[in-house]
Amino acid sequence: MPITLVIIAITCIVSFMAFKNSRLMNDLILWPPAITRQREYHRLVTYGVVHADFNHLLFNMFTLYFFGRAMEPFFADRLGMLGFALFYIGGLVISILPTYLKNRANPNYRSLGASGAVSAVLFSYILLAPWSKIIVLVIPMPAIVYAVLYTGYSIYMDRRGQGNINHSAHLWGAAYGVIFTILMDPRFLPHFLYALTHPSFR
């Protein structure tokens, strides 16, 4: 079974369980003092398998389904069978670290959702195929246009600072996805720059 589908299955099962089980939610969500004081380092990953609500879960898993399947062979070729899983878990950890460090002594802060890792997958794909057509809420658009809109939205929501969804993680996850992909194959940076200046809609 593709790693992408395994990640989606685990995330959906745990998220649905946590919707009805507040204790499970509290045990998995990113709560910085639990890491700082109690060394519950698993929260740097498990926050990504619980979500705020069904729509939050659906959006992340829908995005992961389409772009994860496209990127999984790329990482499998370079890192082995579990390459995409390693990339994804790395996206969860790296995207949340700045938030954790900023709030490590804040008992009122909580964060959840796979958005950081999903952003890493999405932007890794955009680096490889910036002008490919994607469907966003039934609206077709080039992937690079969506990337600009997504980044702008994340910056705006991060500045508002409302809710448990960590929009800062979207930005860090996107940066991680781009940098990690280039490290795996530096040829993709000139490829991206060339593709960016030579639009080819498909």
Side-chain angles (χ1 to χ4, degrees):
M1 180 181 294
I3 297 296
T4 301
L5 295 184
V6 173
I7 294 172
I8 291 173
I10 292 173
T11 305
C12 287
I13 291 171
V14 177
S15 288
F16 277 114
M17 291 173 61
F19 288 155
K20 301 178 180 180
N21 187 333
S22 59
R23 181 175 179 179
L24 177 62
M25 178 70 79
N26 290 332
D27 286 343
L28 300 180
I29 199 170
L30 181 85
W31 185 50
I35 300 172
T36 304
R37 302 170 187 170
Q38 302 167 28
R39 303 183 185 276
E40 295 181 2
Y41 297 113
H42 66 272
R43 292 177 183 267
L44 293 171
V45 174
T46 58
Y47 80 96
V49 295
V50 290
H51 287 76
D53 53 39
F54 177 75
N55 289 334
H56 185 206
L57 173 66
L58 179 64
F59 179 79
N60 276 337
M61 295 302 98
F62 189 77
T63 304
L64 178 60
Y65 175 73
F66 284 104
F67 298 105
R69 291 187 308 159
M71 294 310 303
E72 188 172 333
F74 172 85
F75 291 105
D77 288 344
R78 290 158 178 82
L79 296 173
M81 184 177 65
L82 297 178
F84 182 73
L86 295 174
F87 169 72
Y88 185 85
I89 293 171
L92 288 174
V93 175
I94 296 300
S95 66
I96 204 65
L97 275 179
T99 298
Y100 162 65
L101 294 174
K102 180 180 178 181
N103 294 278
R104 60 182 178 273
N106 182 1
N108 298 316
Y109 185 85
R110 287 170 173 77
S111 183
L112 77 175
S115 302
V118 172
S119 292
V121 176
L122 172 62
F123 276 75
S124 179
Y125 173 84
I126 288 171
L127 187 66
L128 272 61
W131 294 106
S132 61
K133 184 176 70 174
I134 63 176
I135 306 297
V136 182
L137 300 176
V138 308
I139 301 174
M141 67 177 65
I144 189 63
V145 172
Y146 177 68
V148 172
L149 295 175
Y150 184 90
T151 302
Y153 171 77
S154 295
I155 292 173
Y156 170 73
M157 293 302 292
D158 182 50
R159 288 179 176 176
R160 289 186 63 186
Q162 298 178 353
N164 289 333
I165 299 173
N166 186 357
H167 296 281
S168 171
H170 297 182
L171 302 174
W172 286 106
Y176 162 82
V178 169
I179 293 171
F180 194 98
T181 304
I182 292 174
L183 289 175
M184 288 295 96
D185 194 333
R187 294 174 298 174
F188 279 109
L189 179 57
H191 163 79
F192 171 75
L193 296 175
Y194 177 84
L196 203 59
T197 57
H198 295 76
S200 177
F201 303 101
R202 54 184 173 83

